[in-house]
């Protein structure tokens, strides 16, 4: 847990801990402490922690999957998945914990700031189940997520409203929404990531499924060449709601175009770091294939 705390912002660490606490809260409700426990998670360390060489860690379990790659001063914290069913505790040892409110409100604020024509272009479907939802769009486990488990390198077409077609105030609100997810990073990587997203803001797309009233469940996605964010209200798995409800939330953050898990940074390191280049030359000189 000290590695997680050192690797993330205070917000990122506390969000992850609250997911773990709410997992225990769910376990207490349904009587499943073996899997639904505060500490029912696995930690894996990759490589050796270093200030110059690549290394990383993975932390995963129910409603929480974090993949962290570090190379010098560069960091990638994706794929990342935070979820909760329910997203708040109203009794017991964790009474008062409530998460994903900022992500929900910032999405609603942006959607409501659009003109009627912009809303029309942003909306992919009005119904989260059936209705005008495209055939096959809903997955039995991932619900409306397209970037969930086993979806590494999935090609997801852009949908919705483009950043180039937003007003300056709407662009600010879009960046504020993105920052709700990027703020899980510590200060330096967060600033670098925000600058990267801003450079591609004109190409950033925002799409929406569902309603946008106070009680409406919904899905939204922010997608550009450098960021992929999904927010989704889910139907019950352990609880009994047959349709999506606002107390069951899943959020996903990915880095598209080859840098989830820091793969692209690692590739560049192997290509350009002198000691790796020398190692490759040695193999070639002795007839080995890289």
């Amino acid at each position: 847990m000290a590695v997680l705390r050192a690797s993330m912002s205070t917000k990122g660490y506390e969000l992850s801990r609250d997911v773990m606490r709410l997992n225990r809260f769910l376990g207490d409700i349904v009587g499943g402490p073996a899997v639904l426990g505060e500490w029912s998670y696995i930690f894996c360390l990759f490589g050796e922690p270093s200030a110059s060489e690549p290394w990383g860690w993975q932390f995963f379990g129910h409603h929480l999957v974090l993949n962290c790659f570090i190379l010098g001063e560069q960091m990638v914290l994706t794929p990342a998945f935070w979820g909760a069913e329910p997203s708040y505790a109203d009794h017991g040892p964790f009474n008062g914990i409530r998460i994903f409110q900022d992500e929900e409100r910032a999405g609603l604020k942006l959607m409501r700031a659009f003109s009627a024509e912009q809303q029309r272009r942003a909306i992919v479907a009005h119904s989260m189940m059936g209705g005008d939802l495209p055939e096959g769009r809903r997955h039995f486990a991932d619900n409306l997520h397209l970037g969930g488990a086993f979806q590494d390198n999935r090609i997801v077409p852009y949908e919705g409203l483009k950043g180039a077609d937003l007003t300056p105030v709407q662009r600010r609100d879009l960046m504020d929404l993105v920052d709700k997810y990027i703020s899980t990073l510590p200060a330096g990587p967060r600033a670098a990531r925000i600058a990267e997203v801003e450079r591609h803001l004109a190409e950033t797309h925002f799409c929406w499924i569902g309603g946008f009233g106070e009680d409406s469940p919904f899905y939204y996605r922010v997608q550009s060449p450098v960021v992929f964010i999904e927010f989704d209200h889910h139907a019950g798995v352990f609880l009994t709601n047959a349709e999506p409800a606002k107390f069951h939330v899943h959020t996903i953050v990915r880095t598209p175009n080859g840098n989830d898990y820091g793969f692209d940074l690692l590739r560049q390191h192997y290509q350009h770091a002198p000691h790796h280049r020398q190692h490759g030359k040695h193999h070639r000189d002795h007839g080995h294939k890289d």
Side-chain angles (χ1 to χ4, degrees):
M1 298 312 297
V3 174
L4 267 67
R5 186 190 293 273
S7 301
M8 306 169 76
S9 68
T10 300
K11 177 198 169 174
Y13 180 76
E14 286 304 319
L15 172 61
S16 303
R17 286 292 290 118
D18 282 346
V19 166
M20 297 167 68
R21 294 169 180 131
L22 287 172
N23 193 53
R24 153 79 186 278
F25 178 67
L26 175 62
D28 289 346
I29 293 173
V30 302
V35 174
L36 304 177
E38 182 180 357
W39 303 104
S40 302
Y41 294 87
I42 297 172
F43 175 82
C44 298
L45 185 67
F46 297 94
E48 183 176 338
S50 167
S52 58
E53 293 300 302
W55 68 284
W57 53 264
Q58 182 186 65
F59 190 85
F60 65 97
H62 186 234
H63 276 152
L64 183 60
V65 179
L66 303 173
N67 294 277
C68 184
F69 173 85
I70 299 169
L71 177 57
E73 296 183 345
Q74 295 177 290
M75 172 186 284
V76 177
L77 189 64
T78 62
F81 163 51
W82 292 272
E85 180 192 14
S87 57
Y88 60 88
D90 56 6
H91 65 274
F94 304 127
N95 184 24
I97 289 177
R98 184 178 291 267
I99 56 178
F100 304 128
Q101 287 182 297
D102 290 346
E103 294 82 353
E104 179 178 300
R105 289 171 180 165
L108 278 172
K109 178 182 179 182
L110 180 61
M111 189 63 183
R112 290 170 175 172
F114 293 153
S115 67
E117 172 59 20
Q118 287 176 315
Q119 288 175 348
R120 185 191 65 79
R121 290 160 62 188
I123 294 172
V124 174
H126 292 84
S127 173
M128 295 190 72
M129 298 186 71
D132 62 345
L133 196 67
E135 182 73 23
R137 178 63 181 81
R138 188 173 189 84
H139 186 272
F140 77 97
D142 281 335
N143 284 217
L144 295 178
H145 282 303
L146 298 175
F150 311 111
Q151 300 302 328
D152 292 355
N153 303 314
R154 180 176 185 172
I155 297 173
V156 178
Y158 290 119
E159 296 179 291
L161 191 59
K162 197 174 181 180
D165 299 327
L166 302 183
T167 68
V169 172
Q170 290 168 345
R171 289 188 180 199
R172 182 203 65 197
D173 288 345
L174 176 57
M175 285 305 304
D176 182 59
L177 174 60
V178 170
D179 190 51
K180 302 301 183 197
Y181 296 87
I182 303 303
S183 60
T184 54
L185 289 164
R190 174 185 181 180
R193 195 83 171 95
I194 286 293
E196 184 180 40
V197 174
E198 284 184 322
R199 286 195 296 271
H200 293 84
L201 192 55
E203 309 161 77
T204 303
H205 289 70
F206 178 82
C207 67
W208 188 275
I209 297 175
F212 41 98
E214 283 301 316
D215 298 321
S216 303
F218 55 80
Y219 161 94
Y220 66 74
R221 182 168 79 253
V222 180
Q223 183 180 0
S224 82
V226 296
V227 72
F228 182 98
I229 295 167
E230 291 185 295
F231 178 101
D232 194 18
H233 288 123
H234 278 222
V237 174
F238 291 95
L239 304 182
T240 58
N241 53 303
E243 296 195 0
K246 299 188 82 168
F247 54 77
H248 187 180
V249 178
H250 284 195
T251 65
I252 290 172
V253 184
R254 283 185 174 269
T255 308
N257 292 309
N259 208 26
D260 264 345
Y261 310 98
F263 278 162
D264 196 51
L265 283 177
L266 188 61
R267 177 188 61 80
Q268 293 180 52
H269 175 74
Y270 283 147
Q271 284 183 340
H272 301 297
H275 53 288
H276 288 298
R277 293 176 66 183
Q278 185 63 33
H279 178 72
K281 180 179 182 299
H282 170 80
H283 273 248
R284 287 190 294 274
D285 290 347
H286 291 81
H288 297 294
K289 292 182 179 179
D290 286 337

